[in-house]
Amino acid sequence: MEELTRSLAWFRPELALVLGLVAVVVVDSVGPASRNLAMRLLTLGALAAALGFALELQAEGANAALFSGMLVVDPLGAAFKLVLIAAGLLTMLAFSFRNSRELHGLGQGELFALVLALVLSCLLLAASNDIVMLYLALEMVSLTSYVMVAYLKGDRMSNEASLKYVLFGAASTGTMLYGLSLLYGLSGTTSLPGIQEYLAGGIPDGNRFAVYAVTLLVLAGFGFKIAAVPFHFWCPDVYQGAATPVTALLSVLPKAAGLAITMRFFYGALSVPEAGAWDLMGSIHWPALLMLVSVLTMTIGNVAALTQTNMKRLLAYSSIAHAGFLLMGVVALSENGARGLLVYLAAYLVMNLGAFLVVTLVHLHDGSFDLRDYPGLHRRAPLLTLAMAFFLLSLVGIPPFVGFLAKLYVFAAVIEKGMGLYATIGAINVAISAYYYFKVLKVMTIDPGNEDKPPLPLALADRAWLVAFALANLVPLLFWDRIEGWARGALVLYAGR
Amino acid sequence: MIGLQHYLVVAAALFSLGVLGLLTRRNAVHVLMSIELILNSANVNLVAFSRYAAGNLGGQVFAVFVIVVAAAEVAVALAIVLTLYRLRRTPNLDDADILKG
Amino acid sequence: MTGEAAVFWIFASLTVASAAVVVLSRTLIYSAFALLVTFFGVAGLYVLLGADFLAATQLLIYVGGILVLLLFGVMLTHRIYDLELRTETTQIASGLIVAAGLFVILIAVGLKTEWPGVVRPPAPTTTEIGRLFLGDYLLPFEAASVLLLVALMGAAMIVRRRTDA
């Protein structure tokens, strides 16, 4: 019982979200016709409260296992929670049923509840310390995502995309489950620290094969969540088929949570903490495997994006490529790597949300997601084009934008570990990605066309959010040392039961 | 004497058959059934390990959660299949564009 | 051959054979009923492994819930009087190679590895599972309720005909 009350004290962000979820469901069922505003406020309130609690948690520097070792709160986890909740909150604030043409006329209550459930599941996934909790949280994130993508149920392409998502996802997580079952058999326990103990104790040669098999199988589930090759096939169709605010959410939240658990799993179960870093237990060299995945992911993502004309698909492939870069942080197997991952995720959040906001607004007023309809936007919506320029340059990784900071961190972490070739391939990929990001910018600014179209009547709230995201991409570089301090302070992974 | 290995072979067979169905089937409901085979194979593993290798009930508890998740997944998947059927107005759910690429 | 061994072979072959029918049959209905037999077979294996609670759960939920839902899905998306219900298979050769390869690898993993031999003699499991659900595994147990809420809401919302604001 004391375990329970002690754990609940650390569980405040999640509790806020659960209460919000229940409240939204109740209001949606029994509320009057004007309940949409109430539900939106409830959702925003729950997310804000969760953010507040998460900030408190980080300040308190908690480092403990909760609920009999199911979850873990540690400084790194607290930092991830901040990024996850902030992503949910920012998306809910910047996107709404008003400024997304795709969502017009659809029932609102379910989406609000689903957003809260998604953020909650992502928090649980990022903090999982046990393979049962891991599997359940992963499936919670997946199921919530499937339903959110299927929201546009009147649209055939949307339905096909969500069906593809469900089948692909269920197959990947089923494969991962098989791997987890083998891991349970090998170690006799479901807790990650227990598994680490077992592996650190030295595994007989005959078992090494099994551990390799487990790693590959488990990678199926993680790879699917972060859309890494070869488990990325669902990504472009799903991003295109879902309503753009949903796509924006899915591009950040499941990916970040998936990366957090990938890091926790590989650092926490398949590695041993050494002084200030981590070490492999002499048996399986999983960073090599992840490096291969990372290289394939960034390259295939970037190359496929080169020929896209649909903005949502382009951003989908861009997302896939960024997952490749993000994995660099995991491959580095060091404190700097973990720090790089965290900073990159925070940067990725503002870059990606900004880009999706621009795409949503253009669709709201012009009704098109096609890049070929984008010429002339510099004249019709100068603020929007300027903001998009910021986002695109940040996505490439050009100073002084925050995307540059992010890439710097992960590249430094990788180079520090002596993986020069890996870093070189990464640099080549940055160059490849520059081509299509600049192409978008060029189409918006230089290309002739659409001279007869009127300026875009952007609402004040939309303008404000464009400015906010644009500044978020630019300003952090001024506070470099603050960010450094935040990321450095976050670098403690809970090591223990 | 029936031991752990026997059950592991059965599970491996179920998993492989499930993957075969996954790769060769084009109808969404068939693919869903193959996925159920995969989930059951993992469950057999878990319960067998619980009995012969781990000596605790963690595997069985895990298996119960897997069943719960499977039920939820099937419900959502079939809801989407049904909606798709209504939209396409055809009973033929074999879909090259869904499952390719 | 002991009684236990005989029962095992019966259930194991039943399970695997029906799984093969699920995957290879051209007709959805045959596959669905073969899946029913597979689920029964797995439940039988659970009983052999001493997992009484799990066997009952398997029958109740997999057979009584999931399979029924699948049958509904099959029936509602095909014209019954068609009786065709045939579906296509593609690229059987490469699929077979991959599946066979996987089978070999997994068998190797299963047989080569030295599994810890901590045995749990068969005993009623329900009480202990209940204690675990409300003890060590409390959080997943409660989180599962959110999962089910999302699935319930989601499935209902997706299938509902009217789109109202």
Side-chain angles (χ1 to χ4, degrees), chain C residues 114-153:
Chain C
E114 288 168 35
W115 305 102
V118 185
V119 171
R120 185 185 183 278
T125 58
T126 316
T127 324
E128 211 181 314
I129 290 184
R131 287 218 183 90
L132 282 172
F133 272 140
L134 292 178
D136 279 351
Y137 293 99
L138 178 64
L139 185 64
F141 183 59
E142 301 293 344
S145 61
V146 176
L147 176 112
L148 289 172
L149 175 70
V150 167
L152 197 75
M153 249 177 36

Side-chain angles (χ1 to χ4, degrees), chain A residues 44-74:
Chain A
L44 293 173
L47 284 166
L51 189 64
F53 285 136
L55 282 166
E56 254 177 43
L57 271 179
Q58 185 167 56
E60 286 164 14
N63 197 339
L66 302 183
F67 297 108
S68 315
M70 287 293 132
L71 288 184
V72 142
V73 278
D74 53 20

Side-chain angles (χ1 to χ4, degrees), chain A residues 334-360:
Chain A
S334 67
E335 276 196 2
N336 287 331
R339 184 183 337 176
L341 179 64
L342 203 53
V343 171
Y344 203 120
L345 276 173
Y348 174 72
L349 159 65
V350 291
M351 301 192 280
N352 231 31
L353 283 185
F356 275 114
L357 182 62
V358 167
V359 169
T360 310

Side-chain angles (χ1 to χ4, degrees), chain A residues 77-114:
Chain A
F80 270 110
K81 279 191 222 258
L82 280 176
V83 173
L84 289 167
I85 302 176
L89 185 59
L90 286 172
T91 314
M92 279 287 101
L93 284 169
F95 296 83
S96 68
F97 282 84
R98 173 194 55 80
N99 70 2
S100 166
R101 190 191 273 206
E102 292 151 305
L103 291 176
H104 279 169
L106 291 179
Q108 300 196 11
E110 287 93 355
L111 195 60
F112 289 128
L114 285 168

Side-chain angles (χ1 to χ4, degrees), chain A residues 131-132 135-136 139 143 153-154 156 159-160 162-164 166-167 170-171 174-175 177-178 181-182 184-185 188 233, chain B residues 12 15 22 35 41-42 45 49-50 54 56 59 62 65-66 69 72-73 76-77 80 84 87-88 95 97-98 100-101:
Chain A
I131 54 178
V132 175
Y135 177 71
L136 198 67
E139 287 290 16
L143 263 166
K153 55 203 176 167
R156 194 184 117 173
N159 270 291
E160 287 187 7
S162 61
L163 186 61
K164 187 170 189 169
V166 176
L167 294 178
T175 310
L177 181 68
Y178 196 91
S181 72
L182 291 176
Y184 169 69
F233 292 107
Chain B
F15 184 81
L22 210 57
I35 292 172
S41 77
N45 262 350
F49 284 133
S50 170
N56 59 47
F62 200 171
F65 282 116
V66 173
V69 168
E73 256 173 5
V76 172
I80 298 174
L84 201 57
L87 283 175
R88 298 171 115 251
D95 205 313
D97 15 312
I98 294 186
K100 82 158 183 244

